[in-house]
């Protein structure tokens, strides 16, 4: 009887343990956003970044135009200052000349005003001489009025130009503030995009792991072939390195240039070599310094790296870059510091179309 109970209890206990293990796996996967949801969010962020970049480009053009207008107005203000100085000088000269004529006419010996009037031979001659004196006085008064008007016009023009310059300077300051805000938004959105791309890769791996767990019913661990596509060649014995968003983007771009956009093993092998160099005293001590070291990585000078940076690296390249920075390495190239294309005929460890040594 006891033996029969044992035979019954053992399968029941095993079934309960299996159910418990499946239950412990499934909620962790289903609680996270699905890969489709993350893909939609990632696509939305990419569209948002594209729109912000276009807006930033238009704003930059507008800012350049405002700067050109400010420079033009500044030149016009300087010209107006010269015109005003010239007009004021003309007024002064005209005023001095008028004073000399009046002084001459009223105090000038035989040619004085009184002599001119009294020396008239007839009433007609007297009136003509008086009219002559009046014409001279009116001419002086008219010239002074004209010169004063010119000065007023130049001063008004100068004030108007200054006002326009101040408005443009205010506009330039506003545009620069908007430019800074847009740049901040782009950086923030780029950071969010990188996070969601990483989460998307993790979600895909989790969904694949869930399928494997369901197919096997109960499994103590997932098979290497189904764990995020990295294969059994991964090792986590490397040092982690803090990196900015721009460093991650640069790292992912050089990996894609050297190993392609989707070759996980090839990408990780190249990443391992770069991280080996970063940790070696024989190479630069920054990620950017290693990548741009003279004569090392041809994409840095043949234009391919710039093209990938302009378009953005693949999700797989981003995932490998972040994993390498977190300490993941390719076990086959832990001691390698260089690689060549397999077509070069170099000898070494062939991974993903490159030979490592």
């Amino acid at each position: 009887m006891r033996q029969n109970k044992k035979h019954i209890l053992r399968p029941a206990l095993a079934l309960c343990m299996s159910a418990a293990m499946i239950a412990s796996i499934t909620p962790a996967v289903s609680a996270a956003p699905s890969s489709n949801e993350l893909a939609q969010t990632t696509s939305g962020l990419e569209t948002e970044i594209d729109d912000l970049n276009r807006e930033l480009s238009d704003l930059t053009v507008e800012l350049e135009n405002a700067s050109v207008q400010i420079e033009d107005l500044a030149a016009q203000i300087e010209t107006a200052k010269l015109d005003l100085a010239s007009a004021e000088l003309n007024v002064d000269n005209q005023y001095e000349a008028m004073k000399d004529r009046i002084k001459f006419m009223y105090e000038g010996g035989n040619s004085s005003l009184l002599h001119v009037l009294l020396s008239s031979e007839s009433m007609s001659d007297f009136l003509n001489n008086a009219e002559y004196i009046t014409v001279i006085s009116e001419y002086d008064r008219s010239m002074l009025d004209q010169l004063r008007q010119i000065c007023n016009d130049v001063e008004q023009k100068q004030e108007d130009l200054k006002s326009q310059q101040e408005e443009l300077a205010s506009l330039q300051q506003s545009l620069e503030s908007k430019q800074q805000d847009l740049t901040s938004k782009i950086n923030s959105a780029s950071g969010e995009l990188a996070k969601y791309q990483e989460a998307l890769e993790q979600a895909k791996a989790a969904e694949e792991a869930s399928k494997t767990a369901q197919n096997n019913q109960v499994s103590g661990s997932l098979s290497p072939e189904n764990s995020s596509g990295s294969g059994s060649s991964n090792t986590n014995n490397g040092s982690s390195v803090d990196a900015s968003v721009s460093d991650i983007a640069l790292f992912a771009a050089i990996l894609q240039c050297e190993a392609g956009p989707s070759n996980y093993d090839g990408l990780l092998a190249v990443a391992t070599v770069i991280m080996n160099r970063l940790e070696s005293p024989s190479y630069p001590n920054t990620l950017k310094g290693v990548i741009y070291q003279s004569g090392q990585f041809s994409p840095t000078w043949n234009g391919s790296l710039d093209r990938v940076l302009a378009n953005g690296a693949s999700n797989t390249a981003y995932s490998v870059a972040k994993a390498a920075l977190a300490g993941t390495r390719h076990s086959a190239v832990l001691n390698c510091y260089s690689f060549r294309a397999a077509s070069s005929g170099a000898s070494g460890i062939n991974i993903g179309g490159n030979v490592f040594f």
Side-chain angles (χ1 to χ4, degrees), residues 117-263:
L117 292 176
L118 295 178
S119 62
S120 299
E121 297 178 357
S122 63
M123 180 59 69
S124 176
D125 191 25
F126 177 83
L127 293 175
N128 287 336
N129 290 334
E131 183 178 1
Y132 169 74
I133 295 171
T134 302
V135 168
I136 293 176
S137 299
E138 288 178 351
Y139 170 80
D140 287 333
R141 202 162 35 244
S142 174
M143 286 299 298
L144 281 176
D145 290 341
Q146 290 180 23
L147 290 173
R148 287 196 185 99
Q149 186 61 45
I150 291 173
C151 288
N152 292 335
D153 291 343
V154 172
E155 287 177 351
Q156 185 61 48
K157 180 181 178 181
Q158 190 174 16
E159 290 299 322
D160 292 343
L161 288 173
K162 285 182 179 179
S163 177
Q164 293 179 35
Q165 189 181 39
E166 289 173 357
E167 290 177 2
L168 281 174
S170 177
L171 174 61
Q172 185 182 36
Q173 185 176 5
S174 175
L175 291 175
E176 288 175 349
S177 178
K178 290 180 180 179
Q179 188 181 43
Q180 292 176 355
D181 290 342
L182 280 175
T183 301
S184 178
K185 288 180 180 179
I186 291 172
N187 291 337
S188 177
S190 298
E192 288 297 315
L193 177 61
K195 292 179 182 178
Y196 276 104
Q197 286 173 335
E198 181 180 9
L200 178 60
E201 292 296 323
Q202 293 174 352
K204 288 179 179 179
E207 290 173 359
E208 186 66 25
S210 177
K211 291 179 183 178
T212 302
Q214 291 173 3
N215 291 336
N216 296 334
Q217 295 298 320
V218 179
S219 177
S221 60
L222 301 178
S223 62
E225 290 79 5
N226 295 319
S227 59
S228 76
S230 60
S232 60
S233 59
N234 286 14
T235 178
N236 292 321
N237 64 348
S239 300
S240 62
V241 176
D242 293 331
S244 64
V245 173
S246 60
D247 286 338
I248 295 172
L250 175 62
F251 196 11
I254 193 66
L255 296 183
Q256 179 168 324
C257 290
E258 295 290 4
S262 59
N263 180 356

Side-chain angles (χ1 to χ4, degrees), residues 10 39 64 86 90 98 107 117 124 144-145 156 199 211 216 221 231 246 249 258 261 264 277 308 316 334 340:
R10 285 174 181 172
E64 291 174 353
S86 177
N90 201 357
M98 183 187 71
E107 299 177 0
L117 292 176
S124 176
L144 281 176
D145 290 341
Q156 185 61 48
K211 291 179 183 178
N216 296 334
S221 60
S246 60
E258 295 290 4
Y264 192 95
R277 290 189 176 193
V308 174
T316 304
L334 288 176
R340 296 284 186 276

